């Protein structure tokens, strides 16, 4: 044994081949925490001191190679100043360079996932062999940073600047075949032949058949690119990537600049450039929030995993209603492999539902994600039906019929009599209380809410709503089914609007107040889109549909009359209600706040509509001059406050779940981390002061809760 630590061992075999193995104690995966990097430094020193070595294999004793740096350490470390961070990365560079400079040929055996720092470890060696099931990539830019342990320096020298830009700026996870094609790895073999392949490469390097010194020289010298190639690789890429990432995500473009600046430099100088840029990005709010988002996502997944463990997977599902939502649910279930019965009362509805599913599958075939055979097989997982004939063998039913409490109650009671006693019933209702729907059921414990978002195949969130009588088993089965469908389930308690709509409608309330004050809705849309929302509130209302918005608004008004009364039409008519009255329903009838035309691809394209502008003017009581900041506050404060209330009322369990639900359910700007993180970023005290000012002018929709005031006084935060 040459070295033995908690995460790394180095041993030597009879032929003088050293093997450095990552196997982090008491963990299921290998991660590069600060402590593991320290060990790696020690291990490399031991290798340097050992005489008679002929070669080195770096490998892993776990199912993964190395998943990356330990992201749970990021917030703490990134708090330090830039100079500290530069110095920290330079220390890692010294260790990695020492591996790269060992006086014998080296190879990494990539048996499983090798991401971020894990990929960068693999890049230090002369050769890489990869199991055919493994994945390789540098996803750092997705966390708002860039590869900081030499990835921006070594990868372009290995696979060319253009390919490296694709991997790094795109943050892609790459399959073995792609990695081989680009030259990121030297061989791809089945997992059980990995060791032999690694040793074979070393033997060929030792015999002189392979010139490992030449390879190493190539990887450590400046990139050879002419001015035209430079132009092609970097300038074009920067423009393209900037457009794709948008103004709120600087890391992808920064990573290209780092590759460019370092291209003509020696290894050490290029690494210094990388370290500086890394430190700068690590200090940004965007990075802080994206790292927070990653951690929140892990927590949400862990919670779902705990539910999932309690139940058997759903073998056969069913959906009632083949409309927009029912059709989407059937597609998603079939697409991810759970067979589903799709029942409707109308033949035409079934045909439409199937047509939609077929269209979505066909798109996958077009994109080469599916073969036509696979498409046929997946489509056969959807069984359309007009009868309850086969419902005796169904594990879980999603009710997605029209949003009418009487119809839903009737459908659910009828259904309960036809299914097995253990079948779980769920409802995709957006506005009807789960406890109300459970009222007439004989087995209310087998019932809960399963609220999808439109379009089902694209929106990641599923709210699982626990009614007063819902059993753990019902909630667990529903969570498990949502996971099987590739969705992110978040369990919430029952209340009007559940979590996401309860938080969204006060935002629309803020919008209506702005319209009363004479704000221009197109300007509001632009400002909120610039703030980071995928679409502004007027555009979003067009997508949701004015009928749906008015109906849900009424439910919210009834549930929370004090602060949301105006959403129900208690006072003067809002712009939304007026739109509804004048039959401007939004995209569904091609006119709302905007008018809609079909673009070349047959998708609705919004255009300015003077009639809508005139209509909105009818509700304006004044023509207030408002700054962009004031508009943002008027929109965001009610949304954030309602999120706070949901947390205080126990509708949602944690700040992390609340924030993730908003990001996954309504596209809250991810780089801002969610409503509660947004309050933290402003400072709770500053937020409360802002809310109080607005409440004086605009009423209870803007009034902070007692507990939030207390938090402000105590200097507390939502995230430690
Ligand atoms: N559209 C959305 O954005 C959205 C989002 C989340 C949740 N929801 C909820 O999903 C549910 C369905 O909404 P949708 O937009 O798909 O409506 P939809 O009108 O497109 O579809 C409803 C379907 O239910 C069928 N139906 C009616 N009675 C039935 C019965 N007794 N048995 C079987 N089928 C019956 C209708 O024929 C129709 O095909 C509603 O509760 C709605 O609130 C909708």
């Amino acid at each position: 044994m040459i070295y033995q630590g908690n995460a790394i061992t180095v041993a030597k075999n009879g032929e003088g081949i050293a093997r450095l193995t990552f196997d982090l104690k008491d963990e299921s995966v290998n991660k590069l925490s600060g402590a593991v990097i320290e060990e790696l430094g020690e291990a490399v020193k031991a290798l340097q001191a050992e005489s008679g070595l002929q070669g080195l294999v770096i490998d892993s004793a776990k199912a993964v190679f190395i998943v990356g740096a330990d992201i749970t350490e990021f917030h703490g470390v990134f708090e330090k100043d830039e100079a500290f961070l530069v110095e920290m990365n330079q220390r890692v560079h010294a260790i990695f360079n020492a591996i790269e400079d060992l006086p014998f040929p080296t190879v990494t055996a990539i048996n499983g996932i090798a991401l971020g720092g894990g990929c960068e470890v693999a890049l230090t060696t002369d050769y890489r062999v990869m199991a055919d099931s493994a994945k390789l990539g540098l996803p750092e830019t997705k966390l708002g940073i860039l590869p900081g342990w030499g990835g921006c320096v070594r990868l372009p020298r290995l696979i060319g600047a253009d390919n490296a830009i694709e991997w790094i700026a795109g943050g892609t996870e790459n399959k073995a075949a792609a990695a081989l094609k680009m030259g990121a790895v030297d061989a791809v073999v089945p997992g059980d032949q990995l060791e032999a392949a690694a040793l074979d490469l070393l033997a060929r390097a030792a015999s002189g058949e392979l010139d490992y010194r030449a390879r190493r020289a190539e990887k450590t010298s400046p990139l050879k690119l002419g001015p035209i190639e430079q132009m092609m690789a970097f300038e074009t890429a920067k423009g393209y990537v900037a457009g794709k990432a948008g103004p709120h995500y600087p890391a992808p473009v920064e990573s290209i600049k780092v590759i460019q600046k370092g291209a003509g430099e020696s290894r050490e100088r290029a690494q210094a450039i990388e370290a500086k840029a890394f430190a700068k990005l690590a200090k940004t709010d965007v990075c802080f929030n994206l790292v927070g988002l990653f951690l929140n996502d892990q927590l949400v997944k862990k919670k779902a995993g705990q539910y999932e463990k309690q139940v058997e997977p759903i073998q056969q599902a069913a959906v009632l209603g083949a409309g927009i939502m029912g059709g989407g649910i059937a597609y998603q279930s079939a697409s991810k492999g759970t067979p589903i019965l799709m029942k409707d009362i109308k033949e035409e509805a079934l045909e439409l539902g199937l047509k939609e599913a077929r269209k979505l599958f066909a798109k996958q075939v077009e994109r080469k994600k599916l073969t036509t055979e696979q498409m046929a097989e997946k489509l056969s997982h959807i069984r359309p039906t007009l009868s309850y004939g086969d419902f005796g063998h169904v594990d879980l039913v999603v009710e997605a019929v029209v949003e009418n409490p009487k119809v839903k109650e009737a459908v659910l009671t009828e259904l309960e009599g036809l299914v097995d006693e253990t079948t779980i019933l769920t409802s995709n209702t957006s506005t009807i209380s789960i406890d109300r729907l459970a009222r007439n059921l004989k087995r209310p414990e087998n019932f809960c809410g399963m609220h999808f978002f439109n379009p089902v195949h694209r929106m990641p969130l599923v709210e699982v709503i626990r009614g007063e009588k819902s059993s753990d088993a019902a909630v667990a089965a529903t969570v498990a089914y949502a996971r099987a469908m590739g969705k992110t389930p978040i369990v919430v308690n029952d209340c009007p609007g559940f979590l996401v709509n309860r938080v969204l409608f006060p935002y629309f309330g803020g919008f209506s107040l702005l319209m009363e004050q004479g704000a221009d809705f197109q300007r509001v849309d632009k400002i909120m889109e610039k703030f980071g929302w995928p679409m502004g509130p007027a555009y979003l209302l067009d997508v949701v549909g004015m009928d749906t918005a008015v109906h849900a608004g009424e439910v919210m008004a009834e549930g929370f009359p004090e602060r949301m009364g105006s959403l129900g039409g208690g006072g003067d008519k809002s712009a939304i209600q007026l739109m509804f009255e004048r039959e401007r329903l939004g995209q569904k009838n091609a006119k709302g706040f905007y008018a809609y035309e079909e673009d070349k691809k047959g998708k609705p394209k919004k255009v300015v509509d003077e009639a809508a502008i005139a209509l909105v003017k009818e509700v304006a009581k004044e023509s207030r001059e408002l700054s962009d900041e004031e508009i943002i506050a008027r929109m965001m404060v009610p949304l954030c406050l309602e999120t706070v209330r949901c947390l205080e009322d126990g509708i949602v369990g944690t700040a992390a779940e609340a924030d993730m639900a908003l990001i996954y359910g309504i596209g809250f700007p991810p780089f801002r981390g969610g409503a509660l993180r947004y309050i933290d970023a402003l400072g709770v005290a500053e937020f409360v002061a802002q809310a109080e000012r607005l409440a004086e002018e605009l009423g209870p929709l803007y009034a902070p809760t007692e507990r939030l005031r207390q938090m402000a006084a105590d200097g507390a935060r939502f995230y430690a």
Side-chain angles (χ1 to χ4, degrees):
M1 193 67 70
I2 299 176
Y3 175 82
Q4 171 82 57
N6 258 324
I8 298 173
T9 52
V10 185
K12 183 164 88 167
N13 73 7
E15 278 94 60
I17 302 295
R19 177 195 290 255
L20 186 156
T21 304
F22 285 91
D23 190 6
L24 184 56
K25 218 167 152 184
D26 302 328
E27 293 273 357
S28 57
V29 296
N30 287 318
K31 287 184 277 195
L32 299 173
S33 62
V36 175
I37 291 288
E38 290 289 314
E39 274 194 23
L40 185 60
E42 298 297 314
V44 173
K45 272 192 209 142
L47 278 167
Q48 286 169 325
E50 184 74 20
S51 58
L53 287 180
Q54 303 298 317
L56 167 72
V57 180
I58 298 182
D59 66 3
S60 153
K62 303 221 188 274
V64 303
F65 177 63
I66 300 172
V67 292
D70 185 349
I71 298 171
T72 59
E73 293 180 347
F74 281 11
H75 275 165
V77 174
F78 293 177
E79 238 173 52
K80 307 271 171 46
D81 64 17
E82 270 183 48
F84 176 94
L85 296 175
V86 168
E87 172 45 43
M88 175 187 80
N89 277 7
Q90 292 287 28
R91 271 204 311 276
V92 182
H93 281 315
I95 297 170
F96 282 28
N97 291 349
I99 302 176
E100 194 163 47
D101 298 339
L102 286 169
F104 39 77
T106 55
V107 59
T108 306
I110 305 166
N111 60 314
I113 288 178
L115 297 177
C119 174
E120 287 171 302
V121 165
L123 291 175
T124 62
T125 52
D126 301 319
Y127 301 104
R128 277 149 298 282
V129 291
M130 187 167 177
D132 47 15
S133 59
K135 278 186 182 160
L136 189 63
L138 293 167
E140 284 86 343
T141 55
K142 290 194 169 154
L143 291 177
I145 44 176
L146 44 77
W149 294 342
C152 297
V153 179
R154 292 193 176 93
L155 192 65
R157 284 156 174 77
L158 190 66
I159 66 175
D162 45 355
N163 291 331
I165 287 169
E166 241 183 88
W167 279 34
I168 293 172
T172 49
E173 282 182 21
N174 306 285
K175 291 189 179 157
L180 181 66
K181 199 167 150 206
M182 284 188 180
V185 299
D186 302 280
V188 170
V189 295
D192 58 357
Q193 292 165 31
L194 201 60
E195 186 184 344
L199 292 174
D200 175 61
L201 270 172
L202 289 184
R204 283 155 66 196
S207 73
E209 183 195 329
L210 294 175
D211 186 353
Y212 79 91
R213 286 190 188 84
R215 276 216 110 201
R216 193 177 284 190
E218 197 182 9
K219 187 150 65 76
T220 50
S221 0
L223 254 175
K224 290 167 199 74
L225 279 179
I228 300 209
E229 283 169 292
Q230 285 248 8
M231 176 77 183
M232 292 296 284
F234 298 118
E235 299 309 326
T236 323
K238 271 190 276 186
Y240 174 74
V241 168
K244 232 180 142 187
H248 299 298
Y249 299 89
V253 171
E254 276 308 310
S255 72
I256 303 177
K257 288 188 191 160
V258 166
I259 297 173
Q260 181 174 22
K261 275 193 216 152
E265 303 285 352
S266 67
R267 179 180 71 182
E268 275 72 9
R269 287 182 64 150
Q271 286 172 345
I273 292 166
E274 184 194 82
K276 225 169 135 183
F278 177 95
K280 236 194 185 116
L281 285 173
K283 300 292 303 170
T284 59
D285 290 344
V286 176
C287 168
F288 183 85
N289 290 336
L290 290 176
V291 169
L293 194 113
F294 177 88
L295 299 175
N296 284 352
D297 189 53
Q298 296 246 305
L299 182 126
V300 163
K301 296 221 161 86
K302 196 164 144 199
K303 279 202 156 183
Q306 283 159 354
Y307 278 113
E308 212 177 1
K309 269 193 287 194
Q310 303 170 21
V311 287
E312 293 294 315
I314 301 297
Q315 304 287 350
Q316 175 69 53
V319 62
L320 299 186
I324 303 177
M325 297 306 285
I329 291 163
Y331 162 80
Q332 190 65 27
S333 186
S335 163
K336 296 289 174 183
T338 308
I340 187 162
L341 285 165
M342 178 170 73
K343 180 186 178 300
D344 206 289
I345 46 175
K346 293 190 210 131
E347 182 72 46
E348 315 90 78
L350 289 176
E351 275 162 22
L352 214 68
L354 268 183
K355 197 173 138 201
E356 276 303 310
R358 199 173 293 123
K359 213 160 84 187
L360 289 170
F361 279 127
K363 250 189 220 152
Q364 302 240 31
V365 173
E366 232 171 78
R367 291 199 195 117
K368 302 221 179 331
K369 296 236 162 94
L370 284 182
T371 63
T372 38
E373 292 77 32
Q374 285 168 324
M375 164 168 164
E377 122 100 17
K378 284 187 186 281
L379 252 178
S380 73
H381 286 325
I382 305 178
R383 253 174 47 225
T385 173
L386 290 169
S387 84
Y388 282 115
D390 290 326
F391 273 59
H393 308 287
V394 167
D395 301 319
L396 186 147
V397 185
V398 187
E399 171 278 307
V401 305
V402 282
E403 185 74 352
N404 175 323
K406 293 219 174 76
V407 174
K408 284 199 193 283
E409 276 175 340
V411 164
L412 285 166
T413 17
E414 184 187 11
L415 175 68
E416 194 183 36
L418 299 165
V419 295
D420 191 84
E421 287 206 345
T422 57
T423 302
I424 305 300
L425 306 188
T426 70
S427 173
N428 181 43
T429 177
S430 321
T431 55
I432 307 166
S433 154
I434 292 304
D435 290 337
R436 170 175 181 176
L437 292 176
R439 222 167 38 185
N440 298 328
L441 293 179
K442 286 200 201 79
R443 298 185 294 271
E445 66 277 10
N446 283 359
F447 176 67
C448 66
M450 187 175 197
H451 186 215
F452 290 85
F453 292 78
N454 186 17
V456 175
H457 67 280
R458 217 174 292 136
M459 301 302 286
L461 180 67
V462 172
E463 271 180 295
V464 175
I465 302 116
R466 182 195 284 276
E468 213 183 323
K469 299 200 170 141
S470 310
S471 66
D472 272 348
V475 170
T478 309
V479 166
Y481 181 42
R483 290 258 282 191
M485 288 170 88
K487 298 292 166 191
T488 303
I490 293 182
V491 179
V492 300
N493 283 318
D494 192 18
C495 71
F498 314 129
L499 170 65
V500 170
N501 282 335
R502 175 168 162 186
V503 167
L504 179 64
F505 276 80
Y507 174 83
F508 289 148
F511 174 75
S512 293
L513 285 170
L514 273 170
M515 295 304 100
E516 272 183 31
Q517 296 194 313
D520 165 2
F521 67 83
Q522 293 185 66
R523 176 168 169 235
V524 174
D525 270 4
K526 277 203 194 100
I527 291 168
M528 297 318 287
E529 281 161 18
K530 204 166 146 209
F531 180 84
W533 287 95
M535 52 182 85
Y539 187 17
L540 177 60
L541 280 159
D542 277 357
V543 172
V544 168
M546 242 48 78
D547 47 346
T548 305
V550 166
H551 170 69
E554 283 163 4
V555 172
M556 301 310 292
E558 197 189 322
F560 309 103
E562 213 230 322
R563 58 183 186 280
M564 296 190 210
S566 66
L567 289 168
D572 297 327
K573 273 197 186 89
S574 70
I576 304 168
Q577 285 152 345
L578 204 58
M579 286 276 167
F580 174 60
E581 254 182 42
R582 306 273 170 87
E583 289 179 29
R584 299 187 68 97
L585 301 185
Q587 273 189 352
K588 65 178 74 165
N589 73 347
K591 54 182 198 233
F593 283 93
Y594 300 90
Y596 293 85
E597 294 169 353
E598 272 196 8
D599 71 5
K600 276 184 220 137
K601 286 184 188 155
K603 284 200 181 128
K605 185 180 121 202
K606 77 174 166 43
V607 292
V608 177
D609 185 345
E610 292 302 331
I613 296 171
L615 183 151
V616 174
K617 283 212 176 107
E618 286 180 39
V619 303
K621 295 182 182 145
E622 47 184 322
S623 53
R624 184 82 71 95
E625 290 287 330
L626 291 168
S627 69
D628 289 9
E629 285 68 37
E630 284 170 308
I631 287 178
I632 291 169
R634 278 163 159 75
M635 292 298 304
M636 293 303 295
V637 167
L639 178 150
C640 291
L641 281 176
E642 203 58 37
T643 313
V644 171
R645 287 177 191 276
C646 284
L647 188 63
E648 287 182 3
D649 295 352
I651 296 304
V652 62
T654 57
E657 288 165 284
D659 278 347
M660 291 317 286
L662 299 185
I663 289 168
Y664 285 151
I666 48 175
F668 191 102
F671 69 94
R672 295 190 189 276
L676 300 174
R677 212 181 272 283
Y678 179 65
I679 298 179
D680 271 358
L682 286 175
V684 177
E686 168 56 33
F687 178 82
V688 166
Q690 196 180 60
E692 277 171 343
R693 264 198 314 272
L694 287 166
E696 227 163 83
E697 184 194 331
L698 299 165
L701 193 59
Y702 291 83
T705 63
E706 252 335 290
R707 209 190 302 173
L708 192 65
R709 285 203 181 94
Q710 194 55 49
M711 280 179 71
D714 298 345
R717 306 164 54 87
F718 289 99
Y719 292 92

